[in-house]
Amino acid sequence: MKETTGLWKKAAAIALLAVSLSFGTVYAEDNLKTVYHVYVGDKHIGIVDDKETAEEKVQQNLDEEQAKHEDYDVELLEDVSYVPEKIFSPSHDSKETVRELEESIEVGVSAVELTVDDETAAFLPSEQEAEEAVRSYKEQYVDAEDLKETEARDENEEPEIKDKTIVDVELSKDVEQTEKIIEASDMNDIEEAVEILQNGKNKEKIHKVEDGEVLGEIASQYDLSEDKLLELNEELGEEEPLQIDQEVTVTDTEPLTEVLIKEEGIKKEKIPHETEVVETDDLLKGEKETKQEGKDGEKEVHYYKDKRNDRTTDEGTIEEKELSQPKKEIVLKGTKEIPSKGTGDFEWPAVGGTITSKQGERWGSHHKGIDIAGVSDRTIKAADNGKVIEAEKSGAYGNKVVVDHNNGYETTYAHLKSMDVKVGDTVEKGSSLGVMGTTGRSTGVHLHFEVHKNGSLENPLDHVQQ
């Protein structure tokens, strides 16, 4: 009986304890409060009672920054996260946490980063503008329409080769795009991005001094001031002479990537004609005569040209097609020697004309020759074969030519406007000595002509007839 009563009492105690525990759990849950741990990135900022208040403060900052940067999409540089927790007795300061949150968040703008070989080139506001920057860079060296046509062509499509056709355009190094959140001050526009792709960024390099180089010359070569060059080379003195092969630190730029252009085209070119010279004694030495006119041929050339930016790196011919053959030019070259000895039979020394004054007494003095004027062609001709022994200005005679015919005779030609011969020339009968004029003592355009035999003056009219 005692044993039964003990078991009953134990069961009752356990039941009472269970009821007590159940009541305690309900009471504890009713007194727990949910708070939120606020993180910026991995950094714990504090605890807030109301997550919405914190979120509103973050959004307010975003809106304010968006108003400052209307052209960009504003975002947080680091994510803000909220981790809930239930606690009995909160002891935090929500307002302080919100203040700390406001100071901790950093706002940036959405950008597309252009990189070349993992090196940042520029940041653009959008993928469209990033692609436009790359396109604009290519268009520095390729016509926009040619580039558009090239990009529209299927990869395996053979282009129709015209006068000039851009077959392919690509970059020597790929420009990659990555989405990033950056500070607004780091954003570039399209023009800046093209400038960076084209000229790169300043990098230090070593310049070896060549014979005769001075600081100013080296600075100018790299678009540096002398002060900047000295700043880069603290060991150099402004007045200190440079040594050959001395190493000087400079800054230089080079393209981050280059535009590779393949061009083909069809053009017409001349095929130069040959010239054959045939010697003949039918012509006097020094004389030439065209027997057959030459004519250039023509060919169609399919060419190629490879360029790197604005430099041609390779060019050549793919195929040539002859359109017309060239015609050889044949030139006859005289070999016949001009005899320096006269025939003794004189020719009239002018082209027509009349005698305006004969040899003899005139105006109180003796006129040594005859004067010929009234010609339409003022060419003065050698009366016979001979050698020029005088060709110069001579007092009253003006410009005078004297020809020795090597047979005792000499002839004189005076008052010439200009002379076609010089002393030592061998002349043929009828060849030009010069042009009739009025140099020296003369009353008008005419030729004064004299004949001498063995040093004695003779009457020209005894030897020449018009």
Side-chain angles (χ1 to χ4, degrees), residues 5-24:
T5 302
L7 288 173
W8 181 86
K9 288 181 177 180
K10 190 173 183 180
I14 291 172
L16 180 61
L17 176 62
V19 170
S20 299
L21 287 174
S22 176
F23 176 78

Side-chain angles (χ1 to χ4, degrees), residues 176-192:
E176 297 181 350
Q177 300 181 15
T178 308
E179 292 185 357
K180 286 284 179 73
I181 306 299
I182 64 169
E183 294 185 14
S185 59
D186 292 333
M187 189 73 79
N188 302 108
D189 60 25
I190 291 174
E191 187 176 337
E192 289 171 334

Side-chain angles (χ1 to χ4, degrees), residues 83-129:
V83 178
E85 182 186 7
K86 291 182 180 293
I87 60 177
F88 283 105
S89 302
S91 59
H92 56 273
D93 186 342
S94 290
K95 290 184 178 178
E96 177 64 19
T97 299
V98 171
R99 189 185 64 77
E100 286 287 339
L101 173 61
E102 188 174 9
E103 291 181 357
S104 298
I105 61 175
E106 292 184 58
V107 176
V109 294
S110 298
V112 175
E113 179 188 31
L114 295 183
T115 59
V116 181
D117 281 351
D118 297 326
E119 179 181 353
T120 299
F123 294 102
L124 279 303
S126 66
E127 182 178 344
Q128 180 181 352
E129 287 172 276

Side-chain angles (χ1 to χ4, degrees), residues 108-150:
V109 294
S110 298
V112 175
E113 179 188 31
L114 295 183
T115 59
V116 181
D117 281 351
D118 297 326
E119 179 181 353
T120 299
F123 294 102
L124 279 303
S126 66
E127 182 178 344
Q128 180 181 352
E129 287 172 276
E131 290 174 354
E132 182 60 30
V134 174
R135 171 179 290 278
S136 294
Y137 178 41
K138 291 179 179 179
E139 288 177 1
Q140 302 296 307
Y141 306 100
V142 183
D143 182 78
E145 286 300 317
D146 288 336
L147 180 59
K148 183 178 180 181
E149 185 177 328
T150 302

Side-chain angles (χ1 to χ4, degrees), residues 61-308:
N61 280 20
L62 282 172
D63 292 342
E64 288 174 357
E65 289 297 317
Q66 185 67 68
K68 295 178 186 177
H69 307 289
E70 295 180 355
D71 296 333
Y72 308 139
D73 293 328
V74 172
E75 294 188 29
L76 295 172
L77 288 176
E78 292 186 286
D79 290 335
V80 178
S81 57
Y82 306 91
V83 178
E85 182 186 7
K86 291 182 180 293
I87 60 177
F88 283 105
S89 302
S91 59
H92 56 273
D93 186 342
S94 290
K95 290 184 178 178
E96 177 64 19
T97 299
V98 171
R99 189 185 64 77
E100 286 287 339
L101 173 61
E102 188 174 9
E103 291 181 357
S104 298
I105 61 175
E106 292 184 58
V107 176
V109 294
S110 298
V112 175
E113 179 188 31
L114 295 183
T115 59
V116 181
D117 281 351
D118 297 326
E119 179 181 353
T120 299
F123 294 102
L124 279 303
S126 66
E127 182 178 344
Q128 180 181 352
E129 287 172 276
E131 290 174 354
E132 182 60 30
V134 174
R135 171 179 290 278
S136 294
Y137 178 41
K138 291 179 179 179
E139 288 177 1
Q140 302 296 307
Y141 306 100
V142 183
D143 182 78
E145 286 300 317
D146 288 336
L147 180 59
K148 183 178 180 181
E149 185 177 328
T150 302
E151 291 176 341
R153 193 182 301 134
D154 290 340
E155 186 175 347
N156 298 321
E157 182 184 351
E158 289 293 330
E160 180 187 354
I161 305 302
K162 296 172 281 190
D163 292 346
K164 176 184 173 183
T165 303
I166 301 301
V167 175
D168 188 33
V169 179
E170 60 183 22
L171 296 177
S172 60
K173 297 177 182 176
D174 289 335
V175 178
E176 297 181 350
Q177 300 181 15
T178 308
E179 292 185 357
K180 286 284 179 73
I181 306 299
I182 64 169
E183 294 185 14
S185 59
D186 292 333
M187 189 73 79
N188 302 108
D189 60 25
I190 291 174
E191 187 176 337
E192 289 171 334
V194 171
E195 176 73 16
I196 294 169
L197 290 172
Q198 189 171 31
N199 297 318
K201 299 177 180 178
N202 281 334
K203 292 183 179 180
E204 288 191 359
K205 64 178 287 187
I206 299 300
H207 173 88
K208 282 196 173 184
V209 177
E210 297 182 358
D211 187 21
E213 281 190 320
V214 295
L215 278 179
E217 185 180 352
I218 296 172
S220 176
Q221 183 177 340
Y222 295 97
D223 292 328
L224 298 172
S225 66
E226 284 193 43
D227 288 342
K228 180 62 178 177
L229 190 60
L230 289 170
E231 183 183 323
L232 291 167
N233 299 270
E234 295 179 356
E235 74 283 0
L236 291 181
E238 192 169 356
E239 303 299 328
E240 183 181 345
L242 299 174
Q243 306 299 319
I244 296 175
D245 290 335
Q246 182 176 351
E247 293 186 347
V248 177
T249 301
V250 297
T251 59
D252 199 10
T253 60
E254 61 181 23
L256 293 184
T257 183
E258 294 182 283
V259 183
L260 306 180
I261 306 160
K262 289 187 177 294
E263 175 188 320
E264 289 185 25
I266 304 292
K267 60 182 179 180
K268 291 181 180 179
E269 291 183 355
K270 289 182 179 180
I271 305 174
H273 68 271
E274 296 180 358
T275 299
E276 181 182 359
V277 178
V278 179
E279 294 185 342
T280 175
D281 59 4
D282 290 338
L283 298 175
L284 292 172
K285 189 174 183 179
E287 289 184 337
K288 288 185 178 180
E289 183 181 299
T290 301
K291 182 179 180 181
Q292 176 175 290
E293 291 285 348
K295 185 179 180 182
D296 291 337
E298 190 175 45
K299 61 183 176 181
E300 186 178 80
V301 179
H302 181 182
Y303 72 89
Y304 73 89
K305 182 183 291 186
D306 294 342
K307 298 175 72 177
R308 199 176 186 98

Side-chain angles (χ1 to χ4, degrees), residues 404-410 452-455:
D404 182 356
H405 300 286
N406 293 306
N407 56 5
Y409 283 103
E410 289 182 5
H452 298 257
K453 184 176 183 182
N454 297 323

